[in-house]
Amino acid sequence: MGSYTDLLKTSGVARIIAAQLTARFPSGMLSLAFLLHIEQQTGSYGSAGLVLAATSIGQAIAGPLTSRLMGRAGMRPVLIVTTIVCVTGILSIGLLTLTVPLYMLVGFVTGLATPPVQPAVRTIYPKMVNSRQLTPLFSLDASAQEIIWVVGPVITTLIATQIGTVWAIMLAAALMVGGGAWFISSPELGRVRIPRSKRRFGVVLTRPAVLLATVVGFLLIGACAAVEAGVVAVFGHGGPEAGLVLAIFSVGSLAGGLLFGHIPIGPWATARRMFIVFAGMALAAFVMDFWWLAATLFIAGIGIAPALAVLFSIVSASVKFSDTAEAYGWVGTGQLIGAALGSALAGFFIDGYGAQGAFWIAAGFAFVGVLVPTFGRRWHPDLRGRDASPIPDTEPVPMQPS
């Protein structure tokens, strides 16, 4: 824990972590709030899954585009415009009574305007700490973001079931406004400027480590999205059990990140962490009981934050600084497509086979998530004893005539 204490004493680190977590807090609320609200409006988990999928697809398209745009227009202008549009879409879903296609359209636009807070902050991190602290910082960040998934589902479930789903959505919108304003006003956004990339859009995805991180992130978050839908389907709207199980799931991830975030990253690091996720989710699929799900999903959670920390580190170490925002945008896109597909498939399997079907989907995603880094380990950077900082951008230096 000493390395984490030193990190938090570094100037600005604790503040920027807190600001970006607040700005991103609605991420832990909106999927569940939309799921509960639209299922209540339409009577179908399948319809709710389609709206979540449309929202996630919009986010997936926006990820690398808005991230790269920050290198051209600056971080603050992009974050301000996207926050305004996104909040408008969130309020429209919560306050307007629409048909499923219209909910999907608004969800898509809302996703398209999701503020690129995560790529922005992960681009800033290497400029705030020394190279020795960067991998622990990514691990601390991946662990700290689990606060979003611990508290978010509990708050959403309690408000949606005890007061109303509209109020849960309204609270998420308010947090996006307040957290976004805090993050956007952070001094680091003025000090750090993302250089304009000289490469064509999308070329960074041809980097093996970036592609590997994108695919594994897709599978990991797809599995988590299916679990979330499955837990809600098991316990319904009658009480706080769904939120509590999802909170325990995230507590496992928080614990895993803090306990194992310091372990050196070798070629097998991602596969090992994904195996923990798969084992817990596979066990969860056997019994739809509160304590069984809590225990098995806690086990699955232990691998999540450590796996994400590895993905962030191998991307950072594999690209130039000018490409980091776009690279993280693509990784985020992979995760969001995974969330879209995981939610949609889980919704249809719940309608067809009951809540257990969602856990079959989750275990399937996680199993493939073990296979991909296992067979792709030769493309996995070995960071044992290496610096995880981005590759510096260099320019030719003109020679003065003698």
Side-chain angles (χ1 to χ4, degrees), residues 91-388:
L91 293 176
S92 297
I93 288 178
L95 299 175
L96 302 179
T97 302
L98 306 172
T99 61
V100 172
L102 283 176
Y103 274 127
M104 291 175 66
L105 178 60
V106 175
F108 176 76
V109 174
T110 302
L112 204 59
T114 300
V117 174
Q118 186 168 320
V121 76
R122 298 222 165 97
T123 300
I124 291 170
Y125 281 158
K127 301 299 182 182
M128 297 184 66
V129 298
N130 61 47
S131 58
R132 177 182 55 81
Q133 293 176 306
L134 187 55
T135 296
L137 178 55
F138 281 132
S139 181
L140 179 61
D141 178 87
S143 301
Q145 75 176 3
E146 290 306 318
I147 295 170
I148 297 170
W149 310 110
V150 172
V151 182
V154 175
I155 291 176
T156 301
T157 304
L158 287 173
I159 293 176
T161 56
Q162 304 305 316
I163 303 176
T165 56
V166 171
W167 288 102
I169 292 172
M170 295 280 283
L171 177 60
L175 286 170
M176 181 172 286
V177 172
W182 185 14
F183 180 70
I184 291 165
S185 65
S186 298
E188 288 76 13
L189 269 75
R191 294 193 200 114
V192 178
R193 184 184 178 280
I194 303 172
R196 183 176 296 204
S197 177
K198 297 177 176 62
R199 293 161 189 80
R200 294 191 312 276
F201 177 73
V203 169
V204 70
L205 195 58
T206 63
R207 292 269 185 176
V210 177
L211 184 59
L212 181 65
T214 301
V215 174
V216 175
F218 159 81
L219 295 163
L220 174 59
I221 302 304
C224 293
V227 163
E228 183 176 281
V231 169
V232 171
V234 170
F235 298 106
H237 302 174
E241 291 90 348
L244 290 173
V245 169
L246 292 173
I248 291 167
F249 183 35
S250 294
V251 167
S253 179
L254 176 62
L258 294 177
L259 290 172
F260 305 123
H262 65 285
I263 296 175
I265 296 170
W268 286 96
T270 302
R272 287 171 179 158
R273 289 156 173 78
M274 286 301 300
F275 182 78
I276 297 171
V277 178
F278 163 69
M281 290 181 177
L283 289 170
F286 284 98
V287 181
M288 300 294 102
D289 168 78
F290 177 87
W291 291 111
W292 177 261
L293 289 175
T296 54
L297 291 179
F298 179 85
I299 293 170
I302 289 172
I304 293 173
L308 289 171
V310 171
L311 300 184
F312 302 150
S313 296
I314 65 174
V315 168
S316 176
S318 302
V319 299
K320 291 189 174 182
F321 179 65
S322 59
D323 291 324
T324 51
E326 185 186 342
Y328 286 124
W330 283 111
V331 173
T333 287
Q335 294 175 4
L336 290 163
I337 293 173
L341 190 58
S343 296
L345 289 175
F348 285 112
F349 267 63
I350 290 167
D351 286 344
Y353 303 99
Q356 203 163 18
F359 292 92
W360 300 341
I361 295 295
F365 268 79
F367 179 67
V368 181
V370 177
L371 295 181
V372 169
T374 297
F375 291 109
R377 64 187 179 278
R378 65 180 179 141
W379 298 300
H380 192 294
D382 188 347
L383 300 183
R384 291 172 294 187
R386 273 188 54 197
D387 182 0

Side-chain angles (χ1 to χ4, degrees), residues 78-90:
V78 173
L79 287 164
I80 290 169
V81 172
T82 52
T83 298
I84 292 170
V85 176
C86 189
V87 169
T88 302
I90 292 168

Side-chain angles (χ1 to χ4, degrees), residues 18-64:
Q20 64 96 6
L21 284 177
T22 307
R24 293 169 52 210
F25 197 86
S27 300
M29 302 178 66
L30 285 174
S31 291
L32 189 54
F34 284 175
L35 184 74
L36 293 169
H37 181 70
I38 294 166
E39 190 278 333
Q40 191 176 84
Q41 298 294 312
T42 65
S44 169
Y45 280 106
S47 296
L50 286 174
V51 177
L52 289 179
T55 304
S56 296
I57 290 169
Q59 291 173 318
I61 294 171

